[in-house]
Amino acid sequence: MRTGSIVAGLCLVLSGAAVAAPDYNETPKKLVRSEGSFDYVRRVEEIPMRDGVTLHTVILVPRGAAHAAIVLTRTPYSAEVQTGYAQSGHLGMILDGYDNANDTIIEGGYIRVVQDVRGKYGSKGIYLMNPPLAGTAYNPTKTDDSTDAYDTIDWLVKHVPESNGKVGIIGISYDGFLPLMALVHPHPALKISVPMNPMVDGWRGDDWFHNGAFREQNMPYIYEQDGTADNSGKWWQSEADDYDFYLRGGSAGALGKAHGLEQMGFWNKVTAHPAYDGFWQSQAMDKILAGQPITVPILLVGSLWDAEDIYGYLAMWKALKPKDTGNMVRLSLGPWYHGQGIDEGSSLGAIKFGMDTSKWWRAHVLAPTLAHYLKDEAPPLEVATANVFETGTNEWRSYPSWPLASVKPASLYLKPGGGLGFEPMAGAAASADYVSDPAKPVPYRARPNKTAGYDTCAQWACWLTDDQREASGRPDVLSFTTEVLAKPVTVRGQPVVHLNAATTGSDADWVVKLIDVYPDQVPVDHAMGGYQLAVAMDIFRGRYRESLSDPKPITPGAKLDYQFELPTADHVFLPGHRIMVQVQSSWFPLYDRNPQSFVPNIFFAKPSDYKAATQSITVAGPQESFVSLPLAP
């Protein structure tokens, strides 16, 4: 038998027949999941765009759904990760993450769709960071996020049989920029857009700059987001303290070169456009949508302590609301960090609100808004034009407009000796001085600075509510404080800084903070005794005093006026508290250091350009500095 088998085998070989080798691999060629018990059906589609590029799209349909609306999110942060694939058979569990207002989506019975933008993760095509409109000088291609949104919605309403043909789009941050782009020549099936904490204008006050000062701690984001399609290329540093890391790196341009950031197309655009030129203006969403008719209802959502995109939502509101004759644009402002509207919202850092502010907003604003525009039965919409959380009293307020007509500006004057009050200082001109040294910049929060992540308030999310006592004790920070308040002072709107100042340098940054100083002792919440809570604060780069697009050196020693807005607030300074204003000239390493000697492009300042300067703030006389507060009666 053995000899016969050998002969037979040889005959097979000689005849050309192959003998299959034994397969000892224990892993199946393709794993098939048994999902019959899941309470949803998961589909993955590669949806074709008008130029043939396909975009990776995850569709989650509640089992048994019929005539259900679609809630769409487009993202550069991985549709697979956002839909929690393989984590659970329950839709509520896999949507328990970034950009998913879990309770609202599940209870509403919506079909959830999440899609990778072109060039990221599973989607094909090239990637551009927040691409400008197609066919423009800064995006010569034929597609952008508005065309991709249109093509995606068109495909969904034709190929998802469980849908009722209505689509809403929602997203936070970069994902909040995308619902705005969907409003450019929108698809007829788009019934509601919910941009939350959206990126709107990267130079004026969102992710990349604030009034010309570069947000240096965003360099790792640019490296990882632009470097690879799946963000697998990771930034690195050897210092535990970001303050040390960025200080040793020199200028932002030098640090970028040392890390190979010049490989990234967006970085090269940022460093080539340090001023507010056509590159930034042409992609500012408030300017783009100001020229579009309002045909889709919009719910703009912002956070009062948004560490990333605190400018954009209000810029959109200012651009759209004046022409909103049909009351299609609504505004919500919560006491939140960036995106906290979908997280637990009973506190922010040390500040407690006495309720889950986020849950209230989702139940009373987001859910009824989506239902009204997306459900077949269209329940009535009983949501105010503006819903804003008033901090201090810690109550949600409903307003017919924002800001209210009853709000009137009042000047809060900086005074000699660190005083602050609503009456100007009589007498001759006087100044308060400090030395700003780029070699020892003011930290934006207590060191060590290490901000990556959102898991704890020691990381990035909560720094805007940090206690400002660390700064007020420095010799290069001026603090001005009122007497103890005998009655409440309500600020409702945007404070405006009117700073009169001189510098011995030829350039300077000005950081101004409006602060609520708590009583020395606070019953029940003892940790808040003496706490200095920043209500609104921002930075302005002096070279843009005359023109945001045309920087000019400052004349050394000249007393000049600087005017800029702080982020919006709805805050009550309670009796027993005090109001403080702080002024400083660096905010590091959140923002790059101003060398304080004028150079054409600060990104490429040399070590010898960084020089200490004496800053003089006018605190008495006709040019006395002040902050204009929008006070409610």
Side-chain angles (χ1 to χ4, degrees):
M1 290 293 293
R2 184 164 179 251
T3 302
S5 299
I6 293 172
V7 172
L10 287 172
C11 291
L12 285 171
V13 171
L14 292 172
S15 66
V19 178
D23 186 358
Y24 300 111
N25 186 7
E26 296 179 352
T27 303
K29 290 182 173 61
K30 182 179 181 181
L31 178 65
V32 178
R33 285 159 55 91
S34 300
E35 300 180 351
S37 63
F38 288 14
D39 62 10
Y40 64 92
V41 176
R42 183 179 190 274
R43 302 175 192 145
V44 177
E45 300 287 351
E46 311 302 325
I47 298 180
M49 300 293 103
R50 62 191 62 187
D51 61 348
V53 168
T54 58
L55 303 187
H56 185 73
T57 310
V58 178
I59 304 171
L60 304 171
V61 183
R63 195 171 293 279
H67 297 284
I70 294 171
V71 175
L72 168 67
T73 292
R74 307 188 62 250
T75 182
Y77 301 132
S78 177
E80 295 290 337
V81 171
Q82 289 203 34
T83 54
Y85 185 47
Q87 290 183 357
S88 175
H90 296 291
L91 185 57
M93 293 300 296
I94 67 170
L95 291 182
D96 191 18
Y98 183 73
D99 253 338
N100 291 306
N102 191 340
D103 47 3
T104 305
I105 293 170
I106 301 303
E107 293 167 12
Y110 298 108
I111 298 167
R112 185 70 171 122
V113 178
V114 184
Q115 180 185 72
D116 293 328
V117 298
R118 61 173 60 216
K120 293 302 292 185
Y121 292 92
S123 290
K124 307 302 181 184
I126 64 168
Y127 176 68
L128 296 172
M129 185 91 74
N130 303 106
L133 293 179
T136 61
Y138 300 105
N139 179 10
T141 74
K142 296 181 179 180
T143 61
D144 55 37
D145 284 309
S146 70
T147 65
D148 285 351
Y150 189 103
D151 294 349
T152 297
I153 293 170
D154 192 66
W155 189 97
L156 290 171
V157 296
K158 292 175 180 176
H159 294 87
V160 180
E162 298 90 346
S163 101
N164 64 358
K166 297 180 181 180
V167 178
I169 186 167
I170 188 172
I172 298 169
S173 191
Y174 196 132
D175 298 5
F177 154 79
L178 296 162
L180 294 174
M181 284 293 282
L183 297 172
V184 179
H185 307 302
H187 193 282
L190 182 61
K191 303 302 182 183
I192 178 68
S193 175
V194 186
M196 300 179 64
N197 310 96
M199 297 172 70
V200 171
D201 190 320
W203 195 93
R204 289 299 307 275
D206 288 330
D207 285 80
W208 313 122
F209 296 83
H210 274 222
N211 296 314
F214 174 61
R215 304 203 93 186
E216 194 166 20
Q217 280 184 303
N218 276 356
M219 291 173 68
Y221 177 91
I222 296 174
Y223 185 94
E224 296 181 8
Q225 189 68 19
D226 231 28
T228 56
D230 62 355
N231 286 43
S232 59
K234 297 300 181 183
W235 181 263
W236 73 98
Q237 67 184 63
S238 301
E239 293 83 355
D241 187 347
D242 279 1
Y243 187 97
D244 290 332
F245 171 71
Y246 287 97
L247 190 60
R248 293 169 185 170
S251 69
L255 180 60
K257 184 174 183 179
H259 272 62
L261 254 177
E262 292 165 325
Q263 302 170 77
M264 319 304 170
F266 184 69
W267 174 250
N268 294 325
K269 294 173 184 176
V270 169
T271 58
H273 299 279
Y276 195 52
D277 59 12
F279 175 74
W280 298 110
Q281 295 181 37
S282 68
Q283 57 188 289
M285 290 308 303
D286 56 326
K287 292 179 173 60
I288 290 172
L289 290 178
Q292 299 277 329
I294 301 174
T295 59
V296 177
I298 306 165
L299 175 60
L300 288 165
V301 184
S303 298
L304 295 170
W305 284 285
D306 187 335
E308 295 178 34
D309 297 306
I310 203 166
Y311 174 86
Y313 65 83
L314 198 63
M316 289 304 314
W317 177 256
K318 291 177 180 179
L320 297 179
K321 198 58 185 175
K323 64 175 186 175
D324 179 23
T325 57
N327 200 27
M328 297 175 69
V329 183
R330 285 176 166 80
L331 177 70
S332 290
L333 302 181
W336 305 322
Y337 58 67
H338 184 73
Q340 195 179 0
I342 65 167
D343 292 337
E344 203 277 335
S346 61
S347 64
L348 179 55
I351 313 304
K352 303 177 180 65
F353 304 119
M355 64 179 295
D356 187 339
T357 61
S358 303
K359 186 176 182 179
W360 185 96
W361 173 78
R362 293 194 302 272
H364 293 88
V365 179
L366 179 61
T369 299
L370 292 179
H372 176 76
Y373 291 111
L374 296 178
K375 298 279 189 178
D376 284 342
E377 64 272 19
L381 183 58
E382 298 177 353
V383 172
T385 299
N387 287 279
V388 183
F389 191 83
E390 183 182 81
T391 53
T393 58
N394 293 339
E395 296 182 7
W396 277 103
R397 304 290 190 188
S398 297
Y399 302 124
S401 62
W402 182 266
L404 296 173
S406 58
V407 170
K408 303 298 181 183
S411 298
L412 185 64
Y413 293 94
L414 281 56
K415 298 182 178 300
L420 188 68
F422 288 102
E423 295 296 330
M425 187 75 184
S431 298
D433 299 349
Y434 61 95
V435 175
S436 172
D437 186 352
K440 299 176 181 178
V442 180
Y444 78 102
R445 70 185 317 186
R447 296 177 63 185
N449 296 158
K450 194 66 176 177
T451 60
Y454 270 79
D455 294 337
T456 71
C457 274
Q459 296 172 312
W460 175 255
C462 305
W463 70 264
L464 278 173
T465 59
D466 283 357
D467 193 337
Q468 295 300 307
R469 278 179 287 194
E470 182 76 13
S472 63
R474 287 182 59 114
D476 49 1
V477 177
L478 297 180
S479 296
F480 304 88
T481 313
T482 65
E483 299 294 331
V484 174
L485 299 176
K487 58 183 181 180
V489 175
T490 301
V491 174
R492 187 166 290 152
Q494 277 192 282
V496 180
V497 173
H498 295 263
L499 195 69
N500 184 265
T503 177
T504 58
S506 53
D507 199 359
D509 287 348
W510 307 108
V511 179
V512 176
K513 310 172 187 176
L514 177 66
I515 296 168
D516 185 343
V517 182
Y518 280 61
D520 291 337
Q521 292 186 318
V522 177
V524 182
D525 196 357
H526 298 170
M528 295 305 295
Y531 200 93
Q532 296 181 7
L533 171 66
V535 174
M537 51 185 176
D538 217 335
I539 188 171
F540 185 87
R541 183 143 284 176
R543 60 176 48 210
Y544 299 110
R545 186 184 72 87
E546 296 183 21
S547 169
L548 300 180
S549 60
D550 185 17
K552 295 180 180 178
I554 297 171
T555 301
K559 290 282 190 178
L560 301 172
D561 292 323
Y562 299 88
Q563 180 176 320
F564 57 99
E565 293 175 323
L566 299 182
T568 198
D570 193 355
H571 183 78
V572 179
F573 294 85
L574 297 171
H577 291 227
R578 292 177 295 158
I579 304 174
M580 174 183 283
V581 171
Q582 288 182 2
V583 181
Q584 60 198 59
S585 289
S586 53
W587 218 8
F588 187 77
L590 176 65
Y591 295 98
D592 65 333
R593 295 172 300 146
N594 191 320
Q596 303 184 154
S597 58
F598 186 87
V599 294
N601 189 332
I602 291 179
F603 280 106
F604 305 109
K606 302 185 297 295
S608 59
D609 295 324
Y610 292 87
K611 298 175 182 178
T614 299
Q615 321 290 47
S616 299
I617 310 300
T618 305
V619 294
Q623 302 302 316
E624 183 178 356
S625 301
F626 65 94
V627 178
S628 178
L629 299 182
L631 296 188

